[in-house]
Amino acid sequence: MFVLVNLKTYPCDPIEVAEAVSDVDDRTDARLAVAPQAAHLERVAETGVETWAQHVDPIEHGSNTGHALAESVADAGADGTLLNHSERRLKLADIDGAVRAAERAGLETVVCANNPAQIGAAAALGPDAVAVEPPELIGTGTPVSQADPDVVEDAVDAAAGVDEDVSVLCGAGISTGDDVVAAGELGAEGVLLASGVAKADDPAAALEDLVDPL
């Protein structure tokens, strides 16, 4: 299972979380990674943890003030990037362009989507993975695998119907090891989560709980 921790812009210590992720990663068969804010990418990558960006733009070098260039993200130490998170929505053409930009820079990609229909459209763009995240469940502590397990199963089927090489992650409301296990039983190959770790008093303990049942 792939466990990707998105720190969003929460007021957590990104280095503390990164070190916790790295420590737990050494003791589990699960694959763990962390996605800090852009300004923290290099410092987080220096901890040795697998580091992801939260976003890159569909641009090349040039006149693009305020944008995130995939090559710069890679130079900062990122291994991959999220795209089209529900808090950073893109038009379909821009998702396509951002996936191409990430490929150009050697970044792995996870494209987020709200529902199975969008998962199918996202999978057609050829990312490494897609993540189904009903926005109404994000940050609630109620996982989609519990609230509406059909969404996960249908997302897995939708992606497989387009491109069997595209992995499916499950997001929104993931906070416990049982949530991760349930996601796997529904066909997901990983989970995307944020507040369950980023807002935890003890990030290492939260991560241990997540991976312990795996």
Side-chain angles (χ1 to χ4, degrees):
M1 289 290 280
F2 181 32
V3 178
L4 178 52
V5 181
N6 178 13
L7 301 187
K8 302 191 177 184
T9 58
Y10 288 133
C12 59
D13 181 341
I15 305 306
E16 178 187 4
V17 176
E19 290 175 343
V21 172
S22 181
D23 183 52
V24 174
D25 188 42
D26 289 339
R27 303 195 304 273
T28 179
D29 291 332
R31 173 189 173 193
L32 306 184
V34 60
Q37 296 179 53
H40 301 149
L41 278 171
E42 188 166 359
R43 288 197 298 136
V44 166
E46 287 173 352
T47 69
V49 72
E50 183 175 335
T51 304
W52 280 57
Q54 297 179 12
H55 170 79
V56 298
D57 286 298
I59 59 169
E60 299 181 0
H61 289 279
S63 303
N64 303 294
T65 301
H67 289 72
L69 180 69
E71 283 83 355
S72 296
V73 166
D75 287 346
D79 301 291
T81 184
L82 294 172
L83 294 170
N84 197 49
H85 191 277
S86 64
E87 296 156 1
R88 187 66 172 84
R89 283 285 178 224
L90 298 171
K91 295 179 180 179
L92 190 63
D94 289 335
I95 299 172
D96 188 22
V99 170
R100 304 286 84 78
E103 289 177 344
R104 189 180 68 229
L107 296 170
E108 195 172 340
T109 50
V110 171
V111 175
C112 302
N114 290 353
N115 55 54
Q118 291 182 15
I119 285 290
L125 301 177
D128 294 289
V130 289
V132 60
E133 284 198 309
E136 65 273 14
L137 296 178
I138 292 176
T140 64
T142 301
V144 63
S145 57
Q146 175 184 319
D148 193 351
D150 288 346
V151 168
V152 182
E153 292 182 320
D154 290 348
V156 171
D157 290 342
V162 174
D163 187 342
E164 291 185 347
D165 291 331
V166 176
S167 302
V168 178
L169 279 59
C170 174
I174 303 293
S175 60
T176 70
D178 289 342
D179 298 339
V180 179
V181 170
E185 291 174 344
L186 293 170
E189 296 181 45
V191 294
L192 177 61
L193 71 151
S195 58
V197 172
K199 297 175 74 173
D201 292 332
D202 187 340
L207 284 161
E208 290 280 9
D209 178 65
L210 282 166
V211 302
D212 185 63
L214 300 179

